[in-house]
Amino acid sequence: MPLVEDNFDPYEGPAWDEIVGLNYDASYFDKLYQNGELYVNQEFGKIEIKPWQLFTDKQHLRDVIRDYAIQCGFSIIVDKANNSRYTIQCSADNCAWRLHASRLPDGQTWAIKSIKPTEHTCAGLETKNSMVSSKWVARVLLEDIRANNDIPAKALNELLWQRYGVQMCKTTLYRMRSEALVEIHGGHDTSYSYLPRYCEMIKMTNPQSTEYCAWTSADHAQRPLTFTSIFICFKATLDGLFAGCRSSVGVDGCHLKGNYGGILLSAVALDGNNELFPFAWAIVGGRC
């Protein structure tokens, strides 16, 4: 099968540029897309791709092709990829399956131009497929991780096997879960950057509360404008301390794990039922 035939794109080159320069009206482009069919998301196991399927953008096209490859049990090799063309082929040496897609004149929509041959001539892969990446697993299992942030790797592997017939290493799944949690909740750096706003919100919504957030100075030699400590005591908890707690007060602390470390301190009293009543919190450096 000639390579030129698959890579031929009638919507690129001097001839097409000349036509576009004539400023054809919108009806011309309507006719251009009338033979295409916008891809509709399908249930895994029933995904079908065919020539002249339209996709909202290149990432949409790549996601669908990855889902299709995992569903059918084969992996792909990217032969050519740029801002206007996307050509792939089956990774098996004895398989001639090949797909060519390109961007349409609107600059956003992509379309599959050809799939030759329509069926694979290889035997396919087993449960281990290189197309099953951490990014793909995070996308398909995102809602499961959102529902249970502490879901173990064994349970994630069971979900992958039941739904998609594939498996991954447990260490990779734990790393993927961490990346998915960052996408769901945001990273620690993002959370720490919100602390000044949080203190301002406490001032607005909880009058007479005490809050203090400290940062390094802007001219610090090594770490300018870096979070150092925070102290929070709500007015309501302070009133509860004086109204119904015993006079003994203790301070408890625990080390924070993660990229930033530090110590979380809490001031605790005993209420009338001899139960713990925390009324103030602070995050400080490990050497404070």
Side-chain angles (χ1 to χ4, degrees), residues 241-259:
L241 172 68
F242 293 123
C245 289
R246 303 179 186 274
S247 58
S248 60
V249 173
V251 177
D252 190 15
C254 66
H255 291 274
L256 297 174
K257 298 181 180 180
N259 297 333

Side-chain angles (χ1 to χ4, degrees), residues 147-163:
N148 180 9
N149 291 175
D150 296 323
I151 184 171
K154 182 178 179 180
L156 291 172
N157 244 343
E158 291 176 355
L159 291 174
L160 285 175
W161 179 254
Q162 293 171 4
R163 298 176 185 176

Side-chain angles (χ1 to χ4, degrees), residues 104-271:
L104 295 184
D106 63 2
Q108 181 70 21
T109 310
W110 283 68
I112 297 176
K113 296 298 182 63
S114 65
I115 303 177
K116 296 181 180 179
T118 57
E119 299 294 337
H120 285 261
T121 56
C122 62
L125 302 171
E126 296 181 355
T127 58
K128 300 294 183 180
N129 190 335
S130 60
M131 300 298 295
V132 183
S133 62
S134 297
K135 186 177 181 180
W136 179 83
V137 176
R139 174 167 62 87
V140 298
L141 297 183
L142 184 64
E143 295 306 317
D144 300 282
I145 298 173
R146 190 193 304 274
N148 180 9
N149 291 175
D150 296 323
I151 184 171
K154 182 178 179 180
L156 291 172
N157 244 343
E158 291 176 355
L159 291 174
L160 285 175
W161 179 254
Q162 293 171 4
R163 298 176 185 176
Y164 309 106
V166 295
Q167 291 182 327
M168 291 188 72
C169 296
K170 290 185 178 181
T171 54
T172 306
L173 286 173
Y174 279 121
R175 184 170 62 251
M176 176 278 303
R177 189 187 66 179
S178 300
E179 296 171 355
L181 289 176
V182 170
E183 181 178 348
I184 294 171
H185 302 296
H188 289 89
D189 51 347
T190 304
S191 300
Y192 275 105
S193 67
Y194 290 149
L195 287 179
R197 300 184 188 178
Y198 181 63
C199 289
E200 292 298 322
M201 186 60 65
I202 292 176
K203 292 180 181 179
M204 295 173 56
T205 59
N206 293 267
Q208 301 182 28
S209 296
T210 304
E211 67 288 320
Y212 176 77
C213 189
W215 302 78
T216 58
S217 60
D219 57 354
H220 193 279
Q222 297 179 346
R223 305 175 67 183
L225 296 177
T226 302
F227 169 81
T228 58
S229 61
I230 188 173
F231 174 82
I232 297 175
C233 179
F234 293 104
K235 177 65 166 56
T237 58
L238 195 61
D239 291 342
L241 172 68
F242 293 123
C245 289
R246 303 179 186 274
S247 58
S248 60
V249 173
V251 177
D252 190 15
C254 66
H255 291 274
L256 297 174
K257 298 181 180 180
N259 297 333
Y260 299 93
I263 299 177
L264 173 63
L265 300 175
S266 58
V268 182
L270 290 176
D271 62 13

